[in-house]
Amino acid sequence: MSETTIRPSSELRALDRLVGTWTVTGGAEGTVRYEWMPGGFFLLQHVELTQFGQPITGMEIIGNLRPFGEPAGADVVSRFYDSTGNTLDYVYELDGDTLTIWGGAKGSPAYFRGTFDSDGTTVSGEWVYPGGGGYPSTMTRS
């Protein structure tokens, strides 16, 4: 009988490019820090931002869902928890140098799309909201 070793998905491991501390500018300002949880199945994001004049402090857990007794899901999903009690769900997708973070489900009309620069130290893009809202956002590795 052979054992099957479960490993983090290649789609999740591609987000290794985010590991570190970033300064965020644009419609939200502050810092975010990404780190791997031991085992490498979850990427943690620690958030300290100000958006629309309001402080946002929170933590996001990013990975593939794997409910008890089931195989891992295909999408890299997350849940963000903030200091005001919000829980927000996202889907992460990295295609080449383009990072898309869908608000809610993949294909949602609310999303961030940004591009890594050639040396991987800046991600520039914008958050798009339904009805024409949104704002530019740039992350620069600190």
Side-chain angles (χ1 to χ4, degrees), residues 14-116:
L15 297 180
D16 193 56
R17 295 172 78 174
L18 293 171
V19 170
T21 301
W22 301 79
T23 300
V24 178
T25 57
E29 308 269 330
T31 60
V32 297
R33 180 174 50 88
Y34 291 90
E35 66 178 333
W36 288 109
M37 179 184 243
F41 286 94
F42 297 99
L43 184 61
L44 308 177
Q45 180 186 198
H46 305 273
V47 174
E48 293 182 22
L49 299 172
T50 300
Q51 182 181 31
F52 308 123
Q54 300 297 315
I56 300 171
T57 302
M59 186 171 112
E60 184 175 22
I61 302 172
I62 306 162
N64 297 92
L65 291 179
R66 189 172 60 180
F68 185 73
E70 297 181 26
D75 288 339
V76 175
V77 300
S78 75
R79 177 158 285 171
F80 176 76
Y81 303 87
D82 76 16
S83 56
T84 63
N86 292 309
T87 58
L88 305 171
D89 294 331
Y90 297 95
V91 176
Y92 277 68
E93 183 177 60
L94 183 59
D95 183 11
D97 289 331
T98 302
L99 174 66
T100 303
I101 305 170
W102 305 100
K106 192 173 187 176
S108 164
Y111 61 90
F112 168 81
R113 183 163 292 131
T115 304
F116 282 88

